[in-house]
Amino acid sequence: MTDELYNILMEPERLARQIKRKKLEIEAIEAAVYPAGIRYDRDKVQTSPRDDQIPSVLAKTEPLQKDLDRLTKRYQKAVALRSSLLDKVDQEAADIILAKLTGHCHWDELERKFHYSRRQLGRIYSRGLNDLENARLLSHFF
């Protein structure tokens, strides 16, 4: 398997992890707006209410939200590219390749899931990768 084919197959998972991190970052910044609970470790002193933090939070989250939107669009394109490439090979080989690469399944798990011997799984897997590589190369010419 070439690096380019591997990148095409794994790009949606990489982008999904980046999207998840970006969402968590936005949530952490937005959590600062919510009122804090009662703190018993502080002195009981009358204080003035905090100033409105919503504009500052929005200023911090706006660029992150734009990045999130950009990543979501890239994710959709990556999924469409991988799907169109996998549609050009045998469905069983595509399922085995996805389970092995993106599902991080070991050969033992694949044997139980697909009911093939390890040797036959290896044949289907390598044949599918060769077919994917050929389909990828042909797609550059058309």
Side-chain angles (χ1 to χ4, degrees):
M1 172 180 358
T2 62
D3 289 340
E4 188 174 340
L5 177 61
Y6 181 80
N7 288 334
I8 290 171
L9 293 174
M10 296 303 292
E11 186 69 13
E13 276 66 32
R14 284 190 208 112
L15 290 171
R17 285 192 303 272
Q18 289 177 357
I19 288 170
K20 186 177 179 179
R21 279 194 305 268
K22 202 60 78 170
K23 284 181 180 179
L24 289 174
E25 191 175 348
I26 291 170
E27 287 174 10
I29 292 172
E30 288 175 345
V33 175
Y34 297 118
I38 298 172
R39 300 281 309 258
Y40 294 106
D41 60 339
R42 293 186 180 170
D43 293 332
K44 295 179 182 178
V45 178
Q46 182 70 27
T47 60
S48 61
R50 296 187 300 177
D51 57 340
D52 192 17
Q53 293 180 342
I54 293 176
S56 65
V57 169
L58 286 177
K60 290 178 185 175
T61 59
E62 186 177 352
L64 294 175
Q65 189 63 42
K66 287 181 182 178
D67 287 344
L68 182 62
D69 294 341
R70 181 184 50 80
L71 285 172
T72 303
K73 288 177 185 176
R74 282 183 52 201
Y75 175 79
Q76 292 169 349
K77 288 179 184 177
V79 168
L81 176 63
R82 179 173 72 181
S83 179
S84 68
L85 191 61
L86 287 172
D87 286 344
K88 296 177 183 177
V89 298
D90 179 37
Q91 186 60 43
E92 193 170 45
D95 291 342
I96 291 172
I97 289 169
L98 280 180
K100 180 72 176 145
L101 292 178
T102 63
H104 305 291
C105 292
H106 296 286
W107 291 111
D108 296 335
E109 297 172 54
L110 292 175
E111 287 176 18
R112 285 191 297 275
K113 185 175 182 178
F114 292 102
H115 306 290
Y116 284 119
S117 68
R118 187 173 301 205
R119 184 177 176 135
Q120 186 63 20
L121 281 171
R123 285 184 191 133
I124 294 170
Y125 179 78
S126 60
R127 184 183 67 232
L129 287 178
N130 287 335
D131 291 347
L132 280 175
E133 186 62 37
N134 290 337
R136 184 188 66 80
L137 290 174
L138 284 175
S139 69
H140 286 300
F141 293 115
F142 298 108

